[in-house]
Amino acid sequence: MAASPLSISASHSEPIDAVALGDALTALRAAPPLVQCLTNVVVSQWTANVLLAAGAAPAMVDNAHEAAGFAAISGGVLVNLGTPFDDTAAAMLAAVSSAGEAGVPWVLDPVAVGVMQWRTTLAQQLITANAPAIIRGNASEILALAGGSGGKGVDSIDSAEDAVEVAKVLARQHGTVVAVSGPIDHLTDGERVVMLANGHPMMTQVTGVGCALGALMAAFAGVVADPLLAAAAATAVLTVAADEAAIHSRGPGSFAVGLLDELAALTAHHLIEHVRILAE
Amino acid sequence: MAASPLSISASHSEPIDAVALGDALTALRAAPPLVQCLTNVVVSQWTANVLLAAGAAPAMVDNAHEAAGFAAISGGVLVNLGTPFDDTAAAMLAAVSSAGEAGVPWVLDPVAVGVMQWRTTLAQQLITANAPAIIRGNASEILALAGGSGGKGVDSIDSAEDAVEVAKVLARQHGTVVAVSGPIDHLTDGERVVMLANGHPMMTQVTGVGCALGALMAAFAGVVADPLLAAAAATAVLTVAADEAAIHSRGPGSFAVGLLDELAALTAHHLIEHVRILAE
Amino acid sequence: MAASPLSISASHSEPIDAVALGDALTALRAAPPLVQCLTNVVVSQWTANVLLAAGAAPAMVDNAHEAAGFAAISGGVLVNLGTPFDDTAAAMLAAVSSAGEAGVPWVLDPVAVGVMQWRTTLAQQLITANAPAIIRGNASEILALAGGSGGKGVDSIDSAEDAVEVAKVLARQHGTVVAVSGPIDHLTDGERVVMLANGHPMMTQVTGVGCALGALMAAFAGVVADPLLAAAAATAVLTVAADEAAIHSRGPGSFAVGLLDELAALTAHHLIEHVRILAE
């Protein structure tokens, strides 16, 4: 689907500041993008609920019969490699190719790439079929995708700071945005680097918060033309809401519940006031 | 499984009033029906928890080796087309045929039928194999099943009011009950129409509330003989509990948690007092 | 993976008392074990969140391409038969064999074994391939595994007390620990019997609490050498946290949220103070 009339047609040279992030949220709420999610079975409900709470329209279409057709009518497509199977891997390849033909942006979340060979090969195949608009991962995953060594399991053993130079190379290589999640999120299109400093350690005590971030990036990629702005807006929305949720939480259970509440309550005004963008 | 001795053997000519709905809830709690769910991976946990909270006994048996055998010993079977795969589609066809032979009622939730061809064909195959006791969907899905055009994604773009006449035709065609979900729920067996007016917009901000409604219909179909009463009781139970949950919620996260709490706390007395049945 | 240097190398003749259970929790938090879960789609998110809240590191690697390789680098492996498919059954067999070669302990949760033939055969194949360190189930499942009749669906129709003698025989037969869940949990290695009496009926109103217990056993099996101590520590941690959560809950929705909060907040000191170990 081409960018809708309500999309923000930000030029890539416009600054990514707090107001631009707030405007992206306003655009998302004004025209909820249809977000096709081919994600892992662990986080599918959570991902759908995060997208709904933020204001997007999730659709978990991940079978090989329908994935390609649906990608062509989506606003954005998420491919998350958390629990791939032969069936869903075929659906992912079909969806990504179809998205490319239809001009629909897609986001790759390369969960545990580098740790396991099969999904690492799958990630490379997906990128080769159609370069994603955004790749979002932790530092270990990004280093592994760039050809370095991987982490152990799904948690990162490297820091976002360590990965940012590699991320820039990876971004230029594929003409994509690379978002490295961490206590400070580093996002780059190979030239520009955006650093965002919201969020709370509680985010690592709930499964799928990073996965939900990838989904939000696919949502914002459906409403703003600049993938770096889309990735930054998703990151800001999730982490500013997380800051609020952490205040009212007793632990990871109530934090997850509160995060959905805060995402739904988040206004562009609150986002602009509270987002912390660091100077490079 | 044939109707148990504790089932309400309501004749189809008995009125579907608040007391009948309350009695259905009492019957469910007195003899929790075993509900086999072949549903989508997004909502499987949520669906099981809704059934448990309401008082039923969920069993998510959806592999092709076991689905048919288990259907024969279930009180009711749910088939939800949210995320079908080849494996689960085969299991659905086997379960539905087995349910037919065993006299076990089943409920079809045709998620996104009309939007995608593969699942639309699958839905028709299921109905042909053994007409469901109840079909539950939004207006777009019901219109699509009846041969009209479908919606876009999983949200309805048509209104329940627009769909009710088509629903009556569909109900008569297959000898089934058709439940069209919306701000006002319209349920019909082709002759009678029941309109229920509880519920809250928050229900559309949490994934799987409609899916859970289909599951509750399969549960009530296991304890009352009249499928229209079963569909109405499930709708009333879920929407009256949702009214309560919405009062105490800060957003969609706490609403979903509260809905489970309220389902477990719901009494037949409260249901009878608060259900809103509209005159035709 | 061999036991890490931080593991408690408890001899099998050491007593399993409250202090030993508290020390096991301290060991888990000091060196979070990587727990590979091949579990059912209903509870995968919940299981991951329970493990994270308790202090372990979950990894849901359940495809046939990667399961064996990952098992060899895990601290413990969970195999739960709730919703097996051909794909995941193959992955389970591969993971279990690999775990055996690598000396990694694994836990079998034989959900609904005895009710359905395919998974009953699968359970026997898994045990034959490599005897699990721990088998955890309800009384009906344990009786069925031992060759008796099974329950109906996923709920037990037998009592833990009835199953304990059979559990001892099963434990000796396979050189494993058998944990029979119920209002009083009975755990045995064929010689010793540990009875734990914490927990709340609310645990049966939320799907996957038993499944999460199996996952916690796999986590503790990764940090303590005695499988009976591992099974007891997991049981104590979950049920003592459940006691706390039940106090603050309005129903099953808030109970599940609170259980995650309480697991994260649980200290070894609180565990030692509140665990109820019954004399044989």
Side-chain angles (χ1 to χ4, degrees):
Chain A
M1 176 184 295
S4 79
L6 280 164
S7 295
I8 297 178
S9 53
S11 135
H12 285 209
S13 59
E14 281 183 39
I16 292 179
D17 57 16
V19 171
L21 300 175
D23 287 348
L25 180 57
T26 301
L28 181 102
R29 299 264 172 81
L34 186 60
V35 185
Q36 181 183 13
C37 299
L38 300 101
T39 190
N40 67 76
V41 295
V42 185
V43 304
S44 55
Q45 183 195 8
W46 167 251
T47 301
N49 277 335
V50 165
L51 288 171
L52 282 169
M60 319 320 258
V61 181
D62 59 351
N63 68 73
H65 298 280
E66 301 175 329
F70 201 82
I73 62 165
S74 295
V77 176
L78 167 72
V79 175
N80 173 302
L81 299 184
T83 58
F85 294 93
D86 286 333
D87 272 14
T88 44
M92 289 169 180
L93 284 162
V96 157
S97 294
S98 171
E101 290 163 20
V104 172
W106 76 281
V107 174
L108 175 64
D109 194 331
V111 180
V113 157
V115 182
M116 285 167 279
Q117 189 53 50
W118 182 58
R119 67 183 66 195
T120 304
T121 302
L122 176 59
Q124 301 291 3
Q125 289 172 328
L126 290 164
I127 293 172
T128 302
N130 171 25
I134 304 167
I135 301 172
R136 187 219 73 82
N138 62 38
S140 295
E141 291 157 353
I142 297 304
L143 290 170
L145 258 192
S149 64
K152 181 178 166 191
V154 296
D155 297 316
S156 185
I157 56 172
D158 301 290
S159 75
E161 287 70 19
D162 292 342
V164 71
E165 287 308 315
V166 171
K168 288 171 84 166
V169 174
L170 186 66
R172 284 195 294 266
Q173 185 183 344
H174 297 294
T176 186
V177 163
V178 177
V180 191
S181 300
I184 295 174
D185 297 285
H186 291 67
L187 301 82
T188 181
D189 61 2
E191 303 299 330
R192 297 172 292 171
V193 175
V194 176
M195 288 179 288
L196 297 167
N198 296 84
H200 191 274
M202 193 78 83
M203 295 171 76
T204 64
Q205 291 186 41
V206 176
T207 197
V209 174
C211 299
L213 178 54
L216 285 170
M217 289 182 183
F220 278 102
V223 291
V224 300
D226 178 1
L228 186 59
L229 176 58
T235 304
V237 162
L238 189 70
T239 56
V240 169
D243 288 343
E244 285 298 312
I247 294 169
H248 306 291
S249 300
R250 296 185 58 246
S254 49
F255 172 76
V257 172
L259 184 51
L260 294 176
D261 285 351
E262 298 298 341
L263 281 168
L266 184 67
T267 63
H269 179 76
H270 184 93
L271 184 70
I272 292 168
E273 292 270 301
H274 290 84
V275 67
R276 295 184 57 212
I277 306 178
L278 304 188
E280 201 174 347
Chain B
M1 178 183 294
S4 78
L6 280 164
S7 295
I8 297 179
S9 53
S11 134
H12 285 209
S13 58
E14 283 184 37
I16 292 180
D17 56 17
V19 170
L21 300 175
D23 287 349
L25 180 57
T26 301
L28 181 102
R29 299 265 172 80
L34 186 60
V35 185
Q36 181 184 13
C37 298
L38 301 102
T39 189
N40 68 75
V41 295
V42 185
V43 304
S44 55
Q45 184 195 7
W46 167 251
T47 301
N49 277 334
V50 165
L51 287 171
L52 282 169
M60 320 320 258
V61 181
D62 60 351
N63 68 72
H65 298 281
E66 300 175 330
F70 201 81
I73 61 164
S74 296
V77 176
L78 167 73
V79 174
N80 173 302
L81 299 184
T83 59
F85 295 93
D86 286 333
D87 272 13
T88 44
M92 288 168 180
L93 284 162
V96 157
S97 295
S98 171
E101 290 163 20
V104 173
W106 75 281
V107 174
L108 175 64
D109 194 332
V111 180
V113 157
V115 183
M116 285 167 277
Q117 189 53 49
W118 182 58
R119 68 182 66 194
T120 305
T121 302
L122 176 58
Q124 302 291 3
Q125 289 172 329
L126 290 163
I127 293 172
T128 302
N130 171 24
I134 304 168
I135 300 173
R136 187 220 72 84
N138 62 38
S140 296
E141 291 157 354
I142 297 304
L143 290 170
L145 257 194
S149 63
K152 181 180 165 191
V154 294
D155 297 317
S156 184
I157 56 171
D158 302 290
S159 75
E161 287 71 20
D162 292 342
V164 71
E165 288 308 315
V166 171
K168 288 171 82 166
V169 174
L170 187 66
R172 282 195 294 265
Q173 185 183 342
H174 297 295
T176 185
V177 163
V178 178
V180 191
S181 300
I184 294 174
D185 297 286
H186 290 66
L187 301 82
T188 181
D189 60 2
E191 303 299 331
R192 296 171 293 171
V193 175
V194 176
M195 289 180 287
L196 297 166
N198 295 84
H200 191 275
M202 192 78 84
M203 295 170 76
T204 64
Q205 291 186 41
V206 175
T207 197
V209 175
C211 299
L213 177 55
L216 285 171
M217 289 181 181
F220 279 102
V223 289
V224 299
D226 178 1
L228 185 59
L229 175 59
T235 304
V237 162
L238 189 70
T239 56
V240 169
D243 287 343
E244 285 298 311
I247 294 170
H248 306 292
S249 300
R250 296 184 58 246
S254 49
F255 172 75
V257 173
L259 184 50
L260 294 176
D261 285 351
E262 298 298 340
L263 280 169
L266 184 67
T267 61
H269 179 76
H270 184 93
L271 185 70
I272 292 169
E273 292 270 301
H274 290 84
V275 67
R276 295 184 55 213
I277 305 177
L278 303 188
E280 201 174 347
Chain C
M1 174 184 296
S4 79
L6 281 164
S7 296
I8 297 178
S9 53
S11 136
H12 286 209
S13 57
E14 282 185 38
I16 293 180
D17 56 17
V19 171
L21 300 175
D23 287 350
L25 179 58
T26 301
L28 181 104
R29 298 263 172 80
L34 186 60
V35 185
Q36 180 183 13
C37 299
L38 301 102
T39 189
N40 68 75
V41 295
V42 185
V43 303
S44 55
Q45 183 195 9
W46 167 251
T47 301
N49 278 334
V50 165
L51 287 170
L52 282 168
M60 319 319 258
V61 182
D62 59 351
N63 68 72
H65 299 281
E66 300 174 330
F70 200 81
I73 62 165
S74 295
V77 176
L78 167 72
V79 174
N80 172 304
L81 299 184
T83 60
F85 295 93
D86 286 333
D87 272 14
T88 45
M92 288 168 180
L93 283 162
V96 157
S97 294
S98 171
E101 290 163 21
V104 172
W106 75 282
V107 174
L108 174 64
D109 194 331
V111 180
V113 156
V115 183
M116 285 167 278
Q117 188 54 49
W118 182 58
R119 69 182 65 194
T120 305
T121 302
L122 176 58
Q124 301 291 4
Q125 289 172 330
L126 290 163
I127 293 172
T128 302
N130 171 25
I134 303 167
I135 300 173
R136 186 219 73 84
N138 62 39
S140 295
E141 292 156 354
I142 297 305
L143 290 171
L145 257 193
S149 63
K152 181 180 166 190
V154 295
D155 296 316
S156 184
I157 54 171
D158 301 290
S159 76
E161 287 71 19
D162 292 342
V164 72
E165 288 308 315
V166 171
K168 288 171 83 165
V169 174
L170 187 66
R172 283 194 295 266
Q173 185 183 345
H174 298 293
T176 186
V177 163
V178 177
V180 191
S181 300
I184 294 174
D185 297 285
H186 291 67
L187 301 84
T188 181
D189 60 1
E191 304 298 331
R192 296 171 293 171
V193 175
V194 176
M195 288 180 287
L196 296 167
N198 296 85
H200 192 274
M202 192 78 85
M203 296 171 75
T204 63
Q205 292 187 39
V206 176
T207 196
V209 174
C211 298
L213 177 55
L216 285 171
M217 289 181 182
F220 279 101
V223 290
V224 300
D226 177 1
L228 185 60
L229 175 58
T235 304
V237 162
L238 189 70
T239 56
V240 169
D243 287 342
E244 285 298 311
I247 295 169
H248 306 291
S249 300
R250 296 184 58 245
S254 49
F255 172 74
V257 172
L259 183 52
L260 295 176
D261 286 352
E262 297 299 340
L263 281 169
L266 184 67
T267 62
H269 179 75
H270 184 93
L271 184 70
I272 292 168
E273 292 270 301
H274 290 83
V275 67
R276 294 184 57 214
I277 306 177
L278 303 189
E280 200 174 346

